[in-house]
Amino acid sequence: MQILLPRSDGRLVPLAMKASPIAPAGPAPAFNRSVYAAAHVVIDPLATTHPWDSPPAIDWEATLAFREHLYRLGFKVAEAMDTAQRGMGLDWPSARELIQRSARHARAVGGQLACGAGTDQLAAQPGVTLAQVEGAYREQMDVVQAEGCPVVLMASRALVQAARGPQDYLQLYDRLLDAADQPVVLHWLGEMFDPALRGYWGSTDLAQALDTVAALIAAKAPKVEGIKVSLLDAQWERALRRRLPAGVKMYTGDDFHYAELMAGDGTAAGEGGHSHGLLGIFDPIAPVAAVALAELAQGRSGRFRELLDPTVALSREIFCAPTRHYKAGIVFLAWLNGHQKHFSMAGGMQSARGAVHFAKVFELADACGALADPERASARMKSYLSVACGVEA
């Protein structure tokens, strides 16, 4: 099977497809890592008439069916996170409905999920107060907890505006953790994912920021299930991982180094030597990752790396700078793999990347076995290229 793909120099280059999808042959065995896939939303493009200027209409059937697909593969779902375009196309009322519907669906099908609680109903502007930030957090936590779900305490743009230093973070998070009815997952999202989060934890010096969050976790360990770190620099994750109290998990959010971080380095017993996972990349590569994680659970770490390492090149392309636009590649692959009938996104964000990027995503997905049906994916890729850039093949 062959397809012509565009390159940045204007050439069309033929690709002889590998066309060898990787997926579990039967029911997924229990993983020996706690693994969340941060899931995207599927919109209804016919009902969303003003994608730049109004909230999207969500295709609930397709959105929930995709979550069931992840559950069947053995994943938990991280719901209403940045992968679902929180604050980047999906507003709080839409996110609230997403949390409620997804939680009730999970109960019906036996899935496990945790839900993001943030402050995106509050404008992140100068003059916002810590009291307002706390109120916004508590409103969202109440919605999640009313559904009986664990909270992922998302990083807050408004808190960056309101806080005057590390102590403000420590005091606010202390109160929020006290208000949680079960242990939460903290969320440290780097500025490459969202420039408005620069200086989170009260410092632009990552070593100082790490000291602050480590102190918080040490003081509140019984209220912290884990922390997701998305800094795209493995040294900081490893440094914090070594400092976590017993029983507190490190959830890698590093879409550049997840394979090595989850495999572990053998430097410490128990949780200290490896990371668990809470990743957007597990949305499009879930079948491949499920096979790899099953191998890891059987003690075959070498085979785990053989399967998962090739997906890292795909992830690096999807999450390339500007990293905040990674959702476009994830939804593109969902379309190629038949999880939705169209390539449209909340906020019209399918336009955030260009045809050359999507061609590379297609090529790398084929190379690592992430195209579930290569013939369908090839046909859809050709149709996209015809419409987007006039490539007829």
Side-chain angles (χ1 to χ4, degrees), residues 356-382:
V356 171
H357 169 76
F358 291 126
K360 191 66 175 177
V361 165
F362 175 91
E363 179 180 354
L364 293 171
D366 173 65
C368 71
L371 295 181
D373 181 338
E375 288 190 7
R376 175 181 56 205
S378 177
R380 289 190 170 187
M381 186 74 218
K382 289 175 182 178

mmCIF file of all heavy atoms in Angstrom, residues 356-382:
data_model
loop_
_atom_site.group_PDB
_atom_site.id
_atom_site.type_symbol
_atom_site.label_atom_id
_atom_site.label_comp_id
_atom_site.label_asym_id
_atom_site.label_seq_id
_atom_site.Cartn_x
_atom_site.Cartn_y
_atom_site.Cartn_z
ATOM 1 N N VAL A 356 1.485 19.413 6.278
ATOM 2 C CA VAL A 356 2.768 18.705 6.376
ATOM 3 C C VAL A 356 2.880 18.005 7.737
ATOM 4 O O VAL A 356 3.370 16.873 7.836
ATOM 5 C CB VAL A 356 3.937 19.682 6.151
ATOM 6 C CG1 VAL A 356 5.278 19.024 6.458
ATOM 7 C CG2 VAL A 356 3.922 20.189 4.701
ATOM 8 N N HIS A 357 2.440 18.682 8.794
ATOM 9 C CA HIS A 357 2.437 18.058 10.125
ATOM 10 C C HIS A 357 1.547 16.820 10.132
ATOM 11 O O HIS A 357 1.956 15.745 10.620
ATOM 12 C CB HIS A 357 1.941 19.065 11.160
ATOM 13 C CG HIS A 357 1.648 18.457 12.505
ATOM 14 N ND1 HIS A 357 2.627 18.107 13.399
ATOM 15 C CD2 HIS A 357 0.451 18.140 13.099
ATOM 16 C CE1 HIS A 357 2.068 17.602 14.498
ATOM 17 N NE2 HIS A 357 0.758 17.614 14.340
ATOM 18 N N PHE A 358 0.339 16.939 9.606
ATOM 19 C CA PHE A 358 -0.573 15.796 9.633
ATOM 20 C C PHE A 358 -0.049 14.644 8.773
ATOM 21 O O PHE A 358 -0.264 13.473 9.098
ATOM 22 C CB PHE A 358 -1.969 16.215 9.176
ATOM 23 C CG PHE A 358 -2.668 17.119 10.160
ATOM 24 C CD1 PHE A 358 -3.176 18.349 9.759
ATOM 25 C CD2 PHE A 358 -2.810 16.749 11.490
ATOM 26 C CE1 PHE A 358 -3.817 19.180 10.656
ATOM 27 C CE2 PHE A 358 -3.452 17.584 12.401
ATOM 28 C CZ PHE A 358 -3.953 18.800 11.981
ATOM 29 N N ALA A 359 0.648 14.969 7.689
ATOM 30 C CA ALA A 359 1.256 13.915 6.882
ATOM 31 C C ALA A 359 2.320 13.159 7.677
ATOM 32 O O ALA A 359 2.431 11.931 7.604
ATOM 33 C CB ALA A 359 1.867 14.515 5.615
ATOM 34 N N LYS A 360 3.098 13.900 8.468
ATOM 35 C CA LYS A 360 4.126 13.253 9.295
ATOM 36 C C LYS A 360 3.475 12.414 10.390
ATOM 37 O O LYS A 360 3.952 11.315 10.705
ATOM 38 C CB LYS A 360 5.034 14.325 9.908
ATOM 39 C CG LYS A 360 6.282 13.747 10.566
ATOM 40 C CD LYS A 360 7.204 13.102 9.540
ATOM 41 C CE LYS A 360 8.509 12.629 10.158
ATOM 42 N NZ LYS A 360 9.379 11.945 9.171
ATOM 43 N N VAL A 361 2.399 12.913 10.984
ATOM 44 C CA VAL A 361 1.664 12.142 11.993
ATOM 45 C C VAL A 361 1.178 10.828 11.388
ATOM 46 O O VAL A 361 1.310 9.755 12.002
ATOM 47 C CB VAL A 361 0.482 12.969 12.547
ATOM 48 C CG1 VAL A 361 -0.498 12.090 13.315
ATOM 49 C CG2 VAL A 361 0.997 14.095 13.442
ATOM 50 N N PHE A 362 0.640 10.889 10.181
ATOM 51 C CA PHE A 362 0.175 9.676 9.495
ATOM 52 C C PHE A 362 1.330 8.703 9.305
ATOM 53 O O PHE A 362 1.208 7.497 9.617
ATOM 54 C CB PHE A 362 -0.430 10.061 8.141
ATOM 55 C CG PHE A 362 -0.843 8.888 7.295
ATOM 56 C CD1 PHE A 362 -2.128 8.380 7.381
ATOM 57 C CD2 PHE A 362 0.050 8.295 6.411
ATOM 58 C CE1 PHE A 362 -2.519 7.298 6.601
ATOM 59 C CE2 PHE A 362 -0.332 7.210 5.631
ATOM 60 C CZ PHE A 362 -1.616 6.708 5.724
ATOM 61 N N GLU A 363 2.446 9.189 8.808
ATOM 62 C CA GLU A 363 3.604 8.327 8.541
ATOM 63 C C GLU A 363 4.103 7.646 9.818
ATOM 64 O O GLU A 363 4.366 6.435 9.838
ATOM 65 C CB GLU A 363 4.719 9.164 7.911
ATOM 66 C CG GLU A 363 5.982 8.387 7.608
ATOM 67 C CD GLU A 363 7.074 9.243 6.978
ATOM 68 O OE1 GLU A 363 6.800 10.429 6.677
ATOM 69 O OE2 GLU A 363 8.185 8.729 6.802
ATOM 70 N N LEU A 364 4.223 8.416 10.889
ATOM 71 C CA LEU A 364 4.760 7.865 12.135
ATOM 72 C C LEU A 364 3.755 6.940 12.815
ATOM 73 O O LEU A 364 4.148 5.962 13.464
ATOM 74 C CB LEU A 364 5.168 9.004 13.064
ATOM 75 C CG LEU A 364 6.354 9.840 12.580
ATOM 76 C CD1 LEU A 364 6.540 11.080 13.454
ATOM 77 C CD2 LEU A 364 7.640 9.006 12.549
ATOM 78 N N ALA A 365 2.464 7.222 12.667
ATOM 79 C CA ALA A 365 1.440 6.328 13.214
ATOM 80 C C ALA A 365 1.484 4.980 12.508
ATOM 81 O O ALA A 365 1.362 3.920 13.140
ATOM 82 C CB ALA A 365 0.062 6.964 13.096
ATOM 83 N N ASP A 366 1.662 5.003 11.207
ATOM 84 C CA ASP A 366 1.811 3.752 10.466
ATOM 85 C C ASP A 366 3.057 2.993 10.920
ATOM 86 O O ASP A 366 3.012 1.779 11.129
ATOM 87 C CB ASP A 366 1.897 4.044 8.965
ATOM 88 C CG ASP A 366 2.227 2.811 8.150
ATOM 89 O OD1 ASP A 366 1.400 1.871 8.131
ATOM 90 O OD2 ASP A 366 3.326 2.768 7.547
ATOM 91 N N ALA A 367 4.151 3.708 11.136
ATOM 92 C CA ALA A 367 5.420 3.070 11.495
ATOM 93 C C ALA A 367 5.349 2.349 12.841
ATOM 94 O O ALA A 367 6.009 1.325 13.036
ATOM 95 C CB ALA A 367 6.535 4.107 11.519
ATOM 96 N N CYS A 368 4.554 2.877 13.790
ATOM 97 C CA CYS A 368 4.517 2.272 15.134
ATOM 98 C C CYS A 368 3.290 1.395 15.356
ATOM 99 O O CYS A 368 3.071 0.923 16.475
ATOM 100 C CB CYS A 368 4.617 3.348 16.208
ATOM 101 S SG CYS A 368 3.158 4.396 16.395
ATOM 102 N N GLY A 369 2.493 1.171 14.326
ATOM 103 C CA GLY A 369 1.350 0.272 14.441
ATOM 104 C C GLY A 369 0.099 0.898 15.004
ATOM 105 O O GLY A 369 -0.808 0.202 15.460
ATOM 106 N N ALA A 370 0.010 2.240 14.973
ATOM 107 C CA ALA A 370 -1.113 2.944 15.587
ATOM 108 C C ALA A 370 -2.263 3.237 14.626
ATOM 109 O O ALA A 370 -3.233 3.883 15.025
ATOM 110 C CB ALA A 370 -0.631 4.244 16.227
ATOM 111 N N LEU A 371 -2.178 2.785 13.372
ATOM 112 C CA LEU A 371 -3.306 2.922 12.453
ATOM 113 C C LEU A 371 -4.096 1.619 12.484
ATOM 114 O O LEU A 371 -3.645 0.585 11.992
ATOM 115 C CB LEU A 371 -2.814 3.222 11.028
ATOM 116 C CG LEU A 371 -2.106 4.562 10.835
ATOM 117 C CD1 LEU A 371 -1.685 4.734 9.377
ATOM 118 C CD2 LEU A 371 -2.968 5.731 11.284
ATOM 119 N N ALA A 372 -5.282 1.668 13.078
ATOM 120 C CA ALA A 372 -6.049 0.451 13.339
ATOM 121 C C ALA A 372 -6.470 -0.257 12.058
ATOM 122 O O ALA A 372 -6.464 -1.487 11.986
ATOM 123 C CB ALA A 372 -7.273 0.793 14.188
ATOM 124 N N ASP A 373 -6.854 0.514 11.061
ATOM 125 C CA ASP A 373 -7.271 -0.022 9.760
ATOM 126 C C ASP A 373 -6.522 0.779 8.702
ATOM 127 O O ASP A 373 -6.975 1.860 8.306
ATOM 128 C CB ASP A 373 -8.788 0.119 9.608
ATOM 129 C CG ASP A 373 -9.299 -0.445 8.285
ATOM 130 O OD1 ASP A 373 -8.505 -0.552 7.325
ATOM 131 O OD2 ASP A 373 -10.502 -0.760 8.203
ATOM 132 N N PRO A 374 -5.380 0.295 8.250
ATOM 133 C CA PRO A 374 -4.552 1.088 7.338
ATOM 134 C C PRO A 374 -5.257 1.496 6.051
ATOM 135 O O PRO A 374 -5.020 2.607 5.549
ATOM 136 C CB PRO A 374 -3.358 0.162 7.053
ATOM 137 C CG PRO A 374 -3.253 -0.696 8.284
ATOM 138 C CD PRO A 374 -4.681 -0.941 8.696
ATOM 139 N N GLU A 375 -6.122 0.654 5.515
ATOM 140 C CA GLU A 375 -6.820 1.025 4.279
ATOM 141 C C GLU A 375 -7.752 2.210 4.515
ATOM 142 O O GLU A 375 -7.781 3.163 3.721
ATOM 143 C CB GLU A 375 -7.597 -0.173 3.727
ATOM 144 C CG GLU A 375 -6.687 -1.251 3.137
ATOM 145 C CD GLU A 375 -7.491 -2.295 2.380
ATOM 146 O OE1 GLU A 375 -8.719 -2.108 2.207
ATOM 147 O OE2 GLU A 375 -6.887 -3.300 1.955
ATOM 148 N N ARG A 376 -8.520 2.160 5.579
ATOM 149 C CA ARG A 376 -9.401 3.289 5.904
ATOM 150 C C ARG A 376 -8.579 4.537 6.195
ATOM 151 O O ARG A 376 -8.910 5.643 5.721
ATOM 152 C CB ARG A 376 -10.270 2.954 7.110
ATOM 153 C CG ARG A 376 -11.143 4.138 7.590
ATOM 154 C CD ARG A 376 -11.974 3.759 8.798
ATOM 155 N NE ARG A 376 -11.130 3.274 9.879
ATOM 156 C CZ ARG A 376 -11.553 2.448 10.835
ATOM 157 N NH1 ARG A 376 -12.792 2.020 10.848
ATOM 158 N NH2 ARG A 376 -10.733 2.051 11.778
ATOM 159 N N ALA A 377 -7.519 4.397 6.949
ATOM 160 C CA ALA A 377 -6.684 5.546 7.284
ATOM 161 C C ALA A 377 -6.081 6.161 6.034
ATOM 162 O O ALA A 377 -6.018 7.389 5.893
ATOM 163 C CB ALA A 377 -5.585 5.131 8.256
ATOM 164 N N SER A 378 -5.628 5.340 5.116
ATOM 165 C CA SER A 378 -5.052 5.847 3.869
ATOM 166 C C SER A 378 -6.097 6.595 3.043
ATOM 167 O O SER A 378 -5.831 7.680 2.502
ATOM 168 C CB SER A 378 -4.478 4.678 3.062
ATOM 169 O OG SER A 378 -3.976 5.125 1.825
ATOM 170 N N ALA A 379 -7.308 6.041 2.952
ATOM 171 C CA ALA A 379 -8.372 6.707 2.192
ATOM 172 C C ALA A 379 -8.713 8.054 2.816
ATOM 173 O O ALA A 379 -8.898 9.057 2.097
ATOM 174 C CB ALA A 379 -9.602 5.807 2.130
ATOM 175 N N ARG A 380 -8.778 8.110 4.138
ATOM 176 C CA ARG A 380 -9.106 9.372 4.803
ATOM 177 C C ARG A 380 -7.954 10.372 4.678
ATOM 178 O O ARG A 380 -8.192 11.581 4.525
ATOM 179 C CB ARG A 380 -9.478 9.111 6.261
ATOM 180 C CG ARG A 380 -10.824 8.410 6.392
ATOM 181 C CD ARG A 380 -11.352 8.332 7.820
ATOM 182 N NE ARG A 380 -12.734 7.861 7.805
ATOM 183 C CZ ARG A 380 -13.524 7.812 8.865
ATOM 184 N NH1 ARG A 380 -13.076 8.198 10.061
ATOM 185 N NH2 ARG A 380 -14.770 7.377 8.756
ATOM 186 N N MET A 381 -6.742 9.894 4.745
ATOM 187 C CA MET A 381 -5.594 10.789 4.567
ATOM 188 C C MET A 381 -5.622 11.418 3.178
ATOM 189 O O MET A 381 -5.394 12.622 3.013
ATOM 190 C CB MET A 381 -4.292 10.005 4.772
ATOM 191 C CG MET A 381 -3.038 10.868 4.740
ATOM 192 S SD MET A 381 -2.874 11.843 6.259
ATOM 193 C CE MET A 381 -2.241 13.398 5.599
ATOM 194 N N LYS A 382 -5.933 10.623 2.181
ATOM 195 C CA LYS A 382 -6.001 11.144 0.811
ATOM 196 C C LYS A 382 -7.121 12.180 0.682
ATOM 197 O O LYS A 382 -6.942 13.207 0.011
ATOM 198 C CB LYS A 382 -6.207 9.997 -0.172
ATOM 199 C CG LYS A 382 -4.978 9.105 -0.337
ATOM 200 C CD LYS A 382 -5.278 7.912 -1.244
ATOM 201 C CE LYS A 382 -4.051 7.015 -1.361
ATOM 202 N NZ LYS A 382 -4.330 5.807 -2.198
#
